[in-house]
Amino acid sequence: MLPRERAEKILTLHAAGWPVQAIADHTGHSHQTVRDYINGRRTPGIRAPRPSLLTEPLASYCRQRLAEDPHLRTSVLFKEVADLGFQGSRATLYRELKRRHRLLVLADRRETNSQEEDPQIPSEISRRHKRTPALPRRVAPIAGETLNSYLARIARANHLTVTEVLAVLPTWFSTKTNNIDDRAQHHMLAPAATQALHKLAHLTGTTPVGLAHALPAFGTDEGPVRATTACHRCTARLGIRQPVPVHLPIHHKVCTQHGIWLSDLGESHLDLSICPEITTAQHRANRLLRRFTPQQLTLAHQTAANAVPPWSTSPAAVPHHWRYRLLALQTHNHHRGISTELDTYTHAAIYPDAIELAAAVLAKHFRDPARSTGKNSPRLRTVAPAGHGHFATQDSSSQVRATSSGTTR
């Protein structure tokens, strides 16, 4: 920023009829600086705003992730957006979230609860029990189930309390269940995780591999997840009548076996049998993951969802349009006592169109996609100002809208 008197001098010389070249030579400033003040892009005495690295598509991604995963740690969110092209530091991300979306307070609270405060780790965390009993009734875990939910089901099936179950397990479990997010892998808990896993397997009559694969608390799967409840039809087949809180992969929106829309945590599931194309869209999303990372798919889906046209292009397209789908879902699910005002209906109705657009955007803009290499995700080909991420550009929404005009049914 130039001192006010210098900036005003540029404007005075311009008003007197001096050309840009002469003003630049006289003041010693660049042509671009002179033009910025003349054209009003800069104001004397006011510092020009720094270009934001957190562009609207990435900001929308952050909003969605914080909404669908209430205990998402900000360190995990930073890693996800960095893989998507965000080139700022973690402090820059926090500042942008606070300035633009006021999400930092919630995010910081999650970070503090899950990482920065020591989780009251007992000195006997790695103690060895001489003999862990085996419970009479075996309880299989649900994929993605929280540790608190699984221990409660174990206790209920064997007519015990959770406290009685914890009493015969290592104190690792008490520490984990007292943490707001049982997925957080504290450095003092990690060494005892294997022993704790085998103790729980012996107690429940299950295999350590099965438990580790099903329960995120043991930290075997570090992929991005969303908080929801397990498909009520899947759990009913196992004799479970109450909702089971789970963390599922971020892209997993539909139980394809039963055609159930898995809404966010605390919201009712939707029966999709009236709109089988939504289940078909989930299959297509699963196939896209053979070529793209979950973060790339989620960002493309979120950006595409904002660009799906609100009205169909012709009367013939109405039965395939998402507003027709929305009415069908509301009518079909109304008998279950689910309110028709929920945003969940819109998210489900728009899903096939959004996945179609997302597939077109991913195919157009990503080159040599990583399959499961663990490397940083590939970058998006787009024209962007220097210092901006690739898919995280201001032009992404307009690019999706341009694609939608040729792909939406």
Side-chain angles (χ1 to χ4, degrees), residues 54-65 100-101 299 302-303 306:
L54 187 66
T55 54
E56 186 53 37
L58 277 185
S60 179
Y61 177 89
C62 292
R63 285 195 298 268
Q64 179 181 348
R65 293 291 289 121
R100 297 181 55 184
H101 306 286
L299 179 58
Q302 181 68 18
T303 306
N306 295 330

Side-chain angles (χ1 to χ4, degrees), residues 131-135 168 199 202-204:
R131 184 173 182 178
T132 301
L135 295 175
V168 297
K199 294 290 186 181
H202 178 74
L203 178 72
T204 59

Side-chain angles (χ1 to χ4, degrees), residues 38-256:
I38 290 175
N39 296 329
R41 289 192 291 269
R42 293 191 186 184
T43 304
I46 300 178
R47 185 179 298 276
R50 183 178 300 176
S52 175
L53 295 177
L54 187 66
T55 54
E56 186 53 37
L58 277 185
S60 179
Y61 177 89
C62 292
R63 285 195 298 268
Q64 179 181 348
R65 293 291 289 121
L66 290 171
E68 67 187 7
D69 189 355
H71 299 141
L72 180 66
R73 288 165 283 151
T74 45
S75 57
V76 176
L77 180 61
F78 171 72
K79 183 179 183 304
E80 292 182 16
V81 296
D83 288 344
L84 291 170
F86 180 74
Q87 297 181 359
S89 64
R90 185 184 299 185
T92 300
L93 175 64
Y94 295 171
R95 183 173 61 250
E96 291 290 344
L97 289 175
K98 182 177 181 180
R99 181 175 68 87
R100 297 181 55 184
H101 306 286
R102 302 192 179 278
L103 296 173
L104 181 61
V105 174
L106 295 176
D108 273 348
R109 188 177 302 144
R110 297 184 184 107
E111 186 81 5
T112 299
N113 288 336
S114 60
Q115 277 194 331
E116 294 176 0
E117 294 181 354
D118 286 342
Q120 303 297 323
I121 299 175
S123 58
E124 301 178 4
I125 192 167
S126 59
R127 71 188 181 193
R128 294 180 178 273
H129 294 272
K130 293 182 179 180
R131 184 173 182 178
T132 301
L135 295 175
R137 297 201 63 179
R138 179 179 178 273
V139 177
I142 304 298
E145 187 173 6
T146 62
L147 186 60
N148 277 312
S149 172
Y150 183 54
L151 293 177
R153 291 201 299 114
I154 292 172
R156 191 160 44 247
N158 290 276
H159 305 286
L160 300 170
T161 65
V162 174
T163 302
E164 290 171 330
V165 173
L166 290 173
V168 297
L169 289 171
T171 52
W172 185 94
F173 290 94
S174 299
T175 304
K176 274 284 189 178
T177 55
N178 287 332
N179 197 342
I180 191 172
D181 180 13
D182 64 10
R183 295 168 298 159
Q185 300 301 318
H186 195 277
H187 68 280
M188 294 182 67
L189 291 174
T194 301
Q195 177 192 346
L197 175 64
H198 284 82
K199 294 290 186 181
L200 182 62
H202 178 74
L203 178 72
T204 59
T206 54
T207 64
V209 174
L211 285 175
H213 181 72
L215 302 180
F218 291 103
T220 55
D221 185 5
E222 298 182 355
V225 296
R226 55 185 292 260
T228 181
T229 50
C231 171
H232 62 274
R233 291 186 181 175
C234 290
T235 55
R237 294 179 61 183
L238 300 174
I240 304 171
R241 302 302 175 187
Q242 70 277 7
V244 178
V246 294
H247 287 100
L248 298 180
I250 188 175
H251 69 282
H252 194 164
K253 308 288 188 182
V254 179
C255 172
T256 55

